[in-house]
Amino acid sequence: QSLILRTLPEIRGASIAVRYQAMAELGGDFYDIHSLGDGVLAVLIADVSGHGIAAALICSMLRVAYAFHLLETTDPAALMERINATMGDLTHGQFITALFAVVDIPGRKLSCASAGHWPAAILRNHGEASHFPPDTGIPFGWDPAFRDTGATTELASGDRIVCYTDGLVECRNASNELFGTERTIQASARERAGSPEECAESILSGLRAWHGARGFDDDVTLIIIDID
C-alpha cells in the first residue's frame, strides 16, 4: 500500500481518474502522477514481470529510482535512459515495461518515452483515436545501452489520454479472446461525455463482465486524463 499514490494532484485544466487492482495482495504494477508546477504533470505507469514478493520488491526499487532521477530531469527520453541504467542490475531476470509522459496543459502538448510498454490511447475531441508514442522501445533490464528519442504530440481541449497496463488489454474471456486495445478505446469513447471517473468505472465494470471469473489473472492499472 505504501507504493500506491494516496491522493491525485489537483491541477487546473485537467481531470484525472485512476483504477488500480492487484491480482493478489502484492502487485507488480506501479504508477505515479506528480505535478511539476505551472500546469505540467509527470505520469509514470509501469509493469514488472511476474507477481508476488519479487515483483513488489522490484516495484519499490523502481519507485526510488524514478523519484531520484525525476529530480535530475523531466525530459522523457533522458529520464528513461537513467532509470534503465539504475535498474539494469536490479531486475534479476525480471523485466519492467514503463511509459513516462509529461502532460503540459498550458502548452497543449504531450511528450512521452516508452520502455516496451503499451502506448497510451489518445481520444481526440473531434472523434479520432490513436496510439502514442508510435515507438514502444524495449523494457528496462534488457539492454544496458537503452535508447529512446521520445516523441511529442499536440493536445487540444477535450482530448482524453488513457494509459493502462497489460492486465487490462490482455484480459481473456471464456473463449480465450483478449479484451484488446480496440475494446479499450471503444469503451473510452462510449463514455466520452462522462468524466474520467465515470469512464474508468465503466471500463473496469466491462472488464469484469468480459473476464467473468472471480478476480483478474494479472494486475490492472488504468489512468485517464481529460484536458479541459
Side-chain angles (χ1 to χ4, degrees), residues 125-143:
N125 59 7
H126 50 69
E128 179 186 350
S130 61
H131 300 290
F132 188 82
D135 183 3
T136 57
I138 60 172
F140 294 141
W142 277 17
D143 186 347

Side-chain angles (χ1 to χ4, degrees), residues 148-164:
D148 191 317
T149 57
T152 299
T153 187
E154 294 183 355
L155 295 173
S157 179
D159 286 353
R160 170 170 287 170
I161 304 165
V162 183
C163 304
Y164 44 84

Side-chain angles (χ1 to χ4, degrees), residues 17-108:
V18 172
R19 292 294 184 275
Y20 170 84
Q21 185 162 333
M23 173 186 168
E25 291 183 4
L26 294 171
D29 282 6
F30 172 71
Y31 72 91
D32 187 84
I33 304 173
H34 183 75
S35 174
L36 299 176
D38 298 323
V40 180
L41 283 172
V43 180
L44 179 75
I45 186 168
D47 184 5
V48 179
S49 62
H51 306 285
I53 293 174
L57 287 174
I58 293 174
C59 272
S60 68
M61 291 187 283
L62 174 62
R63 179 186 182 185
V64 174
Y66 172 68
F68 176 77
H69 291 304
L70 189 61
L71 295 174
E72 299 176 325
T73 181
T74 58
D75 176 79
L79 177 69
M80 298 293 262
E81 288 181 16
R82 294 183 188 196
I83 293 175
N84 182 69
T86 298
M87 295 298 300
D89 295 329
L90 301 176
T91 54
H92 301 290
Q94 306 281 79
F95 63 89
I96 308 166
T97 69
L99 176 69
F100 176 67
V102 175
V103 186
D104 183 346
I105 297 165
R108 289 293 192 259

